[in-house]
Amino acid sequence: MAIDTQALRGALGQFTTGVTIMTCSGPQGERHGLTVNSFNSLSLDPALVTWALRRASPLVQPFLQAGHFAVNVLAASQMEVSRRFASPVPDRFAAGQWVPGPHALPWLAGATARLACRTHQHLEAGDHLLFVGEVLAVEVESHSPLLYHGGRYCLLGEPL
């Protein structure tokens, strides 16, 4: 039985996620990045995280070659930065304030959290590559997070 892809997309959109910008640096110092909501924790011991990148993306090779990547967990105030990194604009890094993190990774100032990761493994999974990263460094700030639900950005409500 074939799955209706629109129905599946609608169902999966009911799962609220945080919003991240994944970044890496190339051998000449060039910066690459994109908005991702497929980020998840995987393991605490060892410290591993995971995220997915569409195999047809032009960023596959830069992320595969970099060997390290950064996870920038966005604050509610960073919706426009997220939109810019989700669009095919020439200089995505013109939005936001970027600072050098470990391994020359681009870290977004004001993000709720930043993680520097070494690519531990990547796996082919359907039309995506699944990246597994070993967390090497972490910074956390106290900001309300940016969320994504039902195809739209959302803000965190009152805690229960």
Side-chain angles (χ1 to χ4, degrees):
M1 172 188 225
I3 299 287
D4 178 336
T5 56
Q6 285 302 101
L8 178 60
R9 187 178 183 108
L12 295 175
Q14 295 306 304
F15 183 70
T16 304
T17 67
V19 182
T20 64
I21 294 177
M22 299 297 173
T23 59
C24 69
S25 295
Q28 306 302 317
E30 64 276 19
R31 302 179 296 179
H32 306 281
L34 73 157
T35 300
V36 169
N37 71 341
S38 63
F39 168 74
N40 283 289
S41 62
L42 183 60
S43 170
L44 292 177
D45 186 19
L48 299 174
V49 297
T50 185
W51 65 284
L53 177 59
R54 188 174 43 89
R55 287 174 43 188
S57 170
L59 294 175
V60 165
Q61 285 309 309
F63 275 96
L64 285 174
Q65 293 169 354
H68 292 85
F69 61 86
V71 180
N72 298 277
V73 181
L74 301 190
S77 64
Q78 296 174 319
M79 184 172 31
E80 290 308 316
V81 179
S82 173
R83 283 189 173 128
R84 183 173 187 92
F85 274 77
S87 302
V89 295
D91 185 11
R92 292 175 171 171
F93 289 91
Q97 180 183 357
W98 295 91
V99 297
H103 303 279
L105 291 167
W107 278 23
L108 179 60
T112 63
R114 289 172 293 278
L115 293 80
C117 303
R118 178 186 64 80
T119 302
H120 174 74
Q121 187 176 15
H122 64 273
L123 309 160
E124 290 190 17
D127 60 357
H128 280 66
L129 282 179
L130 186 65
F131 283 82
V132 177
E134 176 187 6
V135 180
L136 304 175
V138 176
E139 278 191 7
V140 178
E141 295 185 22
S142 181
H143 302 292
S144 184
L146 182 61
L147 303 177
Y148 198 73
H149 173 82
R152 295 186 306 231
Y153 291 103
C154 305
L155 302 179
L156 188 63
E158 291 295 315
L160 299 176

